[in-house]
Amino acid sequence: MHTKILGTGGYLPSKVRTNADLERMVETSDQWIMERTGISERRVAAPGETTATMGAIAARAALESSGLAPQDIDAVLVATTSSSCAYPSTACEIARELGIANAAAMDLAAACAGFSYAYATAHAMIVAGQARHVLIVGVDICSRICNPHDRTTIILFGDGAGACVLAASDEPGTLAVRLSSDPTCGDLLRLPNPARDEPPSEDNYLLMRGSEVFKHAVVILSRLVDETLAAGGLAPSELDFLVPHQANLRIISATARRLGLDMSQVIVTIGKQGNTSSASVPLALDEGVRSGRIKRGMNILLESFGGGLTWGSALIRF
Ligand code: COA
């Protein structure tokens, strides 16, 4: 039994937050943000938007492009760490919105690596015969978990949703998946849940030791892409596209260099989207597919890393 992506979808809120907007919020500059991160703007969810409303739009687009009907979906998996409710899960709310009945539905939390974890789980469910069609969504509203006065985080993150439909297939589509973590580095990137028995605190925002995360990311991703290609039996030269987590353009370029890829073979969305956490990889995949750059039969490497620390990848024949 193999698995293959049938369709992809994405959604970005309409409100744009530019570097000039950030210059008015914190002590920073467009030049500093561009040079250190490659980000020029990011999207911000409107007050009424939630991970469920945003995820549902991306999920509907993925379902439409897959050619399947809501009743064909056996499971809905949502990677997020910014949902409005612990339950009903964002997965249940998206299933309700799309009219998907009797499907397994759950949220997964693996920070910015969440989509890789959801993809690997969907793949395993299909290979084990527990599902034939799985709707996978990555969605986060990072603007609400970043301290608006913290210039080290507010400049990096954005809001968005991406989705894909993974299906049972006779021919290989998913060639290899890898998941891993380093729980000893949890303090480098933390998002505490508000304590219910204490007054609201600024400490409940995302806390990051950026330069340390940066160094870990470069080393981890180099190892990860090598291991994933080896597990899938492909040489770097056989890769058509890298679809990386969009955390920092310098991290993306380092991974591309490691693989010997030209930047024209990398889907880069960070400039206009920032880091959308769980949504970044499926949004980049959708962008690659809808722009016509990623075509059927191409070898694609997806990778992501995030708080935990956690990381994961999928090598795909699209
Ligand atoms: N504007 C202007 N100056 C800023 C700034 C901002 N938005 N944020 C930090 N600075 C300052 C720092 O205070 C520091 O000043 P100092 O030298 O006087 O102490 C200086 O810039 C350098 O800070 P540093 O943190 O060393 O910069 P950096 O080159 O590591 O870039 C990040 C910072 C956050 C862009 C970078 O570390 C990064 O991208 N890390 C990985 C983040 C990531 O991927 N997170 C998500 C994982 S999913």
Side-chain angles (χ1 to χ4, degrees), residues 26-29 32-33 35-37 111-113 150-157 188-189 206 208-215 217 245-251 275 277 304-307 309-310:
V26 290
E27 198 181 326
T28 191
S29 66
W32 192 96
I33 301 172
E35 280 176 10
R36 304 283 177 126
T37 71
C112 296
D150 181 357
R151 67 177 183 174
T152 68
T153 53
I154 192 69
I155 58 148
L156 295 172
F157 291 91
L188 299 186
L189 194 47
L206 186 153
M208 183 177 72
R209 284 162 42 192
S211 60
E212 286 170 76
V213 173
F214 187 100
K215 286 173 208 147
H245 174 48
Q246 312 280 322
N248 185 311
L249 187 57
R250 290 184 289 149
I251 298 174
N275 180 348
S277 194
S304 56
F305 75 94
L309 296 175
T310 51

Side-chain angles (χ1 to χ4, degrees), residues 10-31:
Y11 171 72
L12 291 168
S14 54
K15 186 178 173 195
V16 175
R17 179 180 281 164
T18 64
N19 290 350
D21 294 329
L22 285 163
E23 285 174 355
R24 288 186 284 275
M25 292 169 66
V26 290
E27 198 181 326
T28 191
S29 66
D30 174 52
Q31 189 190 355

Side-chain angles (χ1 to χ4, degrees), residues 193-201 203-204:
N193 283 324
R196 289 170 195 278
D197 53 352
E198 287 170 19
S201 151
D203 294 341
N204 291 329

